[in-house]
Amino acid sequence: MHPEILTLPHADERWPSEGAPARVAEAPTDTQSQRLRAMVDAHFDPLWRFMRRLGVATMDLDDAMQEVIMIAASRLDVIPKESEKAFLFGTAFRVASEWRRFRGGRREVALEHLAEHEDPMPVADALLDQARARTLLDRVLEEMPLDLRAVFTLYEIEELTMAEIASLLELPAGTVASRLRRGRELFESQVARLQARSTRTR
Amino acid sequence: MTEPTRLNRSNGLAGALLASAKTDAAPSGASRRALAGVAAITAGAAGAGVLTKVSGGAKAATALQTLARWATWKWVAIGVAGAGSVVTVGASVVTRHATPAPLVASDPASVTTGTTAATGTRATRNVHGASPQPPVQQTPPTLAAPPPELPASATVEPAIAPAPHVEARAPVTTAAALPAAPPPSPPPTRTAQPSRLAAEIAALDDAKKTLATGDAATALTKLDAYMASYPRGTLASEASALRIQALARSGHSAEAHEAFTRFRADNPGSPLLDNLEHELEGPR
């Protein structure tokens, strides 16, 4: 009956600066600021979409995105230029995981219940309303474990290559492939259920 | 790596759903707001005002109030580090909040370590019960806390932060000032002059982890050590809350209730109260 222990920040054993000499505080240089801005400009929308598809609540997106940027700002000096995108997406994945955990983790929105409790219009003929379609998409994705969801989203929506995804999420290629396969299976089975339900409610 | 053909977006419901995501885009100005918030923090503009501005503003309603309180850890940590020092001290605190990445691969030199998420924003699980009160006006308790007192043994050096009020919060102490529960395996170059707040966080984190393992008695000892080292620590209220949990779980129910009564009197409106009440209402 105990609630979860009050969550306090905890140390990261893999402190990236381990062994590095202590640095003296200094203001970010113009160059750093420009670099950060350029990173954000280049990747903001895909990152935002990614976090959204990972299930970060709309109300949390600003904060979550800012957190990603904050972390990037704090690590600018250790992010290789060629790894900026990987850093941002990897960070976004982890930040999204935290926000989901904060919000109570995976929302158990069983698709079975959608038709019972919600307007069946989203699954009706045309799906003209993009916002509704996205809502439905997110519900389908919600049925997917986060690790599959990340790979599925990056591949099918952001259209990254599997090699890119492996790099971004720091996964072996085989893991990306298997997660994508499982993600697709889940996605397609959920969509099929939705279609069946939609047909029945017509 | 073989690239499977992507699902066809013109194909039925599945395609329509996927296509809908492609047209999704961040609202206008979201990028600018996020950058501005980060800039405000890195400029060392610590304090509740910044927290309010950068944490989503009025949009961050309802349950986010709890988050905002806990997020304070992160923002304070960054703020006290002073102007621009998010690159240094602030960074260390942020990254030390991090959760071990669930998908970490084997390449230690890669971005893995840097990509661990700052989780000062993590909060308690009772969020869904949070009432829809406006969060924006709430000054997080750690910000409202008086400047911490240094342990007698501390060797104090001038704070690196330029703002006077920030300096008062961010003295740099020697390793001798660390509480009994130092951060696990801190790099030597860091322990030479750890941020006081980082040390506080590490000490509380250690106690929390101990509590999570079920060893409430040891956690209690660690929390007592924290309180002895930081009688007016920046995170005193969080420490008190953890201590109440530790008391309750180590069988000191009466003492836990007594401490809770004091805590409630000292911290009216604290977001930690709900959790503590829940804790104390549990099986005794």
Side-chain angles (χ1 to χ4, degrees):
Chain A
M1 194 54 195
H2 290 309
E4 189 174 76
I5 291 172
L6 296 174
T7 306
L8 305 176
H10 63 275
D12 179 8
E13 284 76 11
R14 293 176 310 283
W15 192 326
S17 300
E18 189 161 0
R23 288 163 294 175
V24 178
E26 57 188 23
T29 64
D30 285 350
T31 307
Q32 285 175 316
S33 298
Q34 285 167 6
R35 183 183 173 198
L36 183 67
R37 181 173 295 276
M39 282 170 68
V40 170
D41 286 347
H43 302 295
F44 193 87
D45 275 347
L47 278 172
W48 188 91
R49 267 199 306 269
F50 181 49
M51 294 193 93
R52 193 170 163 97
R53 296 285 91 75
L54 288 181
V56 176
T58 305
M59 66 189 295
D60 296 336
L61 272 169
D62 275 3
D63 292 297
M65 284 300 297
Q66 185 174 288
E67 192 168 320
V68 172
I69 297 169
M70 191 73 235
I71 295 168
S74 73
R75 309 307 305 151
L76 271 182
D77 52 350
V78 297
I79 307 172
K81 181 77 180 163
E82 64 277 12
S83 301
E84 288 177 351
K85 183 178 180 183
F87 181 93
L88 289 170
F89 274 86
T91 302
F93 176 74
R94 293 173 179 95
V95 168
S97 306
E98 288 299 326
W99 277 87
R100 286 172 53 84
R101 196 171 304 151
F102 163 66
R103 290 291 181 205
R106 191 161 169 258
R107 291 190 296 274
E108 302 293 344
V109 185
L111 287 172
E112 292 79 17
H113 302 310
L114 286 180
E116 296 168 21
H117 298 297
E118 307 215 358
D119 183 354
M121 277 305 292
V123 278
D125 294 337
L127 276 173
L128 293 175
D129 183 338
Q130 291 286 294
R132 283 188 159 190
R134 282 197 291 269
T135 301
L136 199 55
L137 170 67
D138 288 341
R139 285 174 181 161
V140 170
L141 292 177
E142 199 62 37
E143 295 296 306
M144 216 180 272
L146 198 64
D147 51 357
L148 306 189
R149 187 171 179 168
V151 171
F152 180 85
T153 299
L154 289 173
Y155 192 78
E156 299 292 355
I157 296 173
E158 295 305 322
E159 298 190 348
L160 301 183
T161 66
M162 293 177 72
E164 283 178 309
I165 297 169
S167 166
L168 262 49
L169 300 181
E170 297 172 9
L171 295 170
T175 305
V176 173
S178 66
R179 287 185 184 179
L180 178 60
R181 188 177 62 250
R182 286 158 56 210
R184 282 180 155 193
E185 287 168 2
L186 268 173
F187 179 78
E188 287 171 341
S189 70
Q190 297 295 349
V191 169
R193 290 168 67 188
L194 271 181
Q195 277 176 319
R197 196 158 299 277
S198 174
T199 304
R200 283 205 298 273
T201 54
R202 276 181 202 168
Chain B
M1 198 180 301
T2 308
E3 301 278 325
T5 307
R6 289 194 171 80
L7 298 176
N8 187 348
R9 290 191 183 152
S10 58
N11 184 16
L13 180 59
L17 294 183
L18 290 172
S20 75
K22 198 64 183 173
T23 60
D24 203 8
S28 168
S31 164
R32 184 174 38 78
R33 283 198 305 275
L35 271 169
V38 171
I41 296 167
T42 55
V50 172
L51 177 66
T52 299
K53 281 182 199 163
V54 301
S55 82
K59 286 193 305 174
T62 63
L64 197 58
Q65 61 180 309
T66 307
L67 175 62
R69 298 285 180 100
W70 285 87
T72 303
W73 282 42
K74 177 181 61 178
W75 302 125
V76 167
I78 293 162
V80 295
S85 58
V86 66
V87 176
T88 55
V89 178
S92 71
V93 175
V94 169
T95 53
R96 290 177 67 78
H97 286 197
T99 298
L103 298 175
V104 169
S106 56
D107 180 6
S110 71
V111 295
T112 307
T113 49
T115 54
T116 49
T119 54
T121 49
R122 282 180 298 151
T124 56
R125 212 164 46 181
N126 286 352
V127 182
H128 56 276
S131 58
Q133 298 162 3
V136 209
Q137 80 288 2
Q138 294 167 350
T139 301
T142 51
L143 289 173
E149 287 181 355
L150 287 169
S153 62
T155 302
V156 185
E157 298 185 6
I160 53 176
H165 72 284
V166 171
E167 287 181 5
R169 291 176 182 278
V172 178
T173 66
T174 65
L178 282 172
S185 308
T189 50
R190 294 268 177 189
T191 51
Q193 290 190 334
S195 133
R196 174 199 168 89
L197 185 60
E200 283 193 49
I201 289 174
L204 282 193
D205 173 65
D206 186 39
K208 182 209 73 173
K209 284 198 282 194
T210 304
L211 186 56
T213 65
D215 188 357
T218 303
L220 200 53
T221 303
K222 290 178 175 178
L223 288 164
D224 287 341
Y226 167 88
M227 290 177 162
S229 297
Y230 305 100
R232 284 179 167 180
T234 307
L235 305 174
S237 61
E238 284 79 5
S240 296
L242 268 179
R243 188 170 181 278
I244 291 167
Q245 286 187 303
L247 281 169
R249 296 185 189 186
S250 58
H252 299 85
S253 178
E255 202 177 337
H257 279 83
E258 189 181 321
F260 176 69
T261 303
R262 280 199 307 274
F263 182 89
R264 190 170 48 196
D266 293 341
N267 302 277
S270 166
L272 305 178
L273 286 172
D274 285 348
N275 288 71
L276 292 173
E277 280 174 359
H278 190 190
E279 173 86 32
L280 297 178
E281 283 167 5
R284 296 171 198 169

